[in-house]
Amino acid sequence: MTTATRPTTARRSLRIALASTAALSALLLTAGCSVVADIVPNKTPTKHFDTYADAPRSGESEDLAFFMPEWVPEDAEDIDVRLHVSQPGYVIGFSSAKGVDVGDCTKLDEPYGGPAMTADFLPSDLPTTGLVGCGDGRAVAEIDGRWYGWTTEEPIPGQDDTQTMHGAEH
């Protein structure tokens, strides 16, 4: 190999590397942040849905993480969901004129502490009593006219916490 070909080969390799980096950057920009979020381990992604109709529902979506729990009413709006994909942790908050049908839920007799994870949309002082469990392993309460559900630090006995992706992993 002559001295003249080495710089050409090095420049060609550099150009290929720069072009690959530019192509990957363009792909990430056009595909959105979800691509980046999908490759980050131990993530706690958050999603917002304007209405219940905008959110995925179990059995109707390939999105196994963010589908609406069965107890969320169909008139829910301003829905925020955050979950942890490698350990228990799911929180949801929404507004609803109809509200949650707590008649289908079970009153939690014992106090249950805070959530297994935090979220910016959760009130700072969540109640520990007067909660209900609606069958999916979350404590549910109405606070200042907004409904919240969260995975508690300690599992709620008798609840099926496998209804969400994170529940199936523990």
Side-chain angles (χ1 to χ4, degrees):
M1 190 175 256
T2 66
T3 310
T5 60
R6 280 193 192 127
T8 303
T9 303
R11 272 187 252 151
R12 185 176 317 139
S13 296
L14 179 60
R15 276 189 240 136
I16 291 170
L18 289 173
S20 298
T21 301
L24 180 59
S25 297
L27 174 65
L28 290 175
L29 286 174
T30 58
C33 294
S34 65
V35 172
V36 175
D38 288 340
I39 59 175
V40 177
N42 298 321
K43 61 189 179 264
T44 54
T46 302
K47 286 195 179 184
H48 177 83
F49 305 101
D50 291 331
T51 67
Y52 181 88
D54 297 331
R57 281 168 294 292
S58 179
E60 299 175 6
S61 173
E62 292 179 15
D63 187 344
L64 299 177
F66 287 97
F67 63 81
M68 293 293 98
E70 291 178 14
W71 52 267
V72 174
E74 291 184 11
D75 75 335
E77 298 178 327
D78 190 23
I79 304 165
D80 292 301
V81 180
R82 185 170 192 200
L83 61 93
H84 200 297
V85 296
S86 65
Q87 64 189 30
Y90 180 101
V91 292
I92 185 169
F94 59 89
S95 299
S96 167
K98 182 178 168 182
V100 174
D101 184 358
V102 294
D104 289 341
C105 300
T106 303
K107 183 177 176 174
L108 301 178
D109 294 327
E110 296 181 34
Y112 284 88
M117 62 178 293
T118 61
D120 293 343
F121 59 85
L122 280 177
S124 58
D125 293 325
L126 289 173
T128 58
T129 59
L131 305 172
V132 296
C134 296
D136 63 358
R138 294 185 198 106
V140 177
E142 182 180 15
I143 304 165
D144 295 330
R146 189 162 166 83
W147 287 92
Y148 297 93
W150 62 92
T151 305
T152 56
E153 290 177 357
E154 294 296 319
I156 299 172
Q159 299 279 300
D160 179 10
D161 64 356
T162 62
Q163 292 184 32
T164 60
M165 182 179 79
H166 83 310
E169 293 182 21
H170 73 277

